[in-house]
């Protein structure tokens, strides 16, 4: 989020100074930063943890042969 905020400030400065090429490049970077933040928001909580349930052990009767 810090990077995104910094990019927004730099875009404003570039617009104020008339650096049109710089503005375009910064907007591309801003779009990438915002997409990355969106990906982080979409990732599931507890990623990497798999619920295996509760193990149940049952006794088996010996088979007659």
């Amino acid at each position: 989020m810090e990077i995104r905020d910094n990019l927004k400030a730099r875009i404003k400065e570039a617009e104020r100074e008339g650096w049109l090429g710089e503005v375009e490049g910064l907007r591309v970077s801003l779009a990438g930063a915002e997409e990355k933040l969106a990906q982080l928001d979409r990732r599931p909580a507890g990623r990497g943890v798999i619920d295996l349930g509760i193990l149940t052990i049952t006794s088996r009767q010996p088979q007659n042969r």
Side-chain angles (χ1 to χ4, degrees):
M1 289 189 306
E2 205 172 305
I3 292 170
R4 180 200 56 203
D5 295 343
N6 181 273
L7 286 166
K8 287 181 178 182
R10 290 177 58 195
I11 289 170
K12 286 181 184 178
E13 177 187 12
E15 288 172 338
R16 191 174 53 248
E17 297 296 330
W19 303 331
L20 301 181
E22 184 76 9
V23 170
E24 185 58 32
L26 290 168
R27 285 185 178 154
V28 169
S29 296
L30 177 59
E34 288 176 334
E35 176 57 30
K36 190 62 171 177
L37 287 172
Q39 288 174 2
L40 292 172
D41 287 342
R42 288 191 301 263
R43 96 181 150 176
R47 183 176 179 187
V49 176
I50 299 171
D51 182 9
L52 298 177
I54 298 173
L55 177 63
T56 304
I57 300 174
T58 58
S59 62
R60 291 177 37 156
Q61 298 295 323
Q63 295 180 352
N64 292 337
R65 290 188 181 208

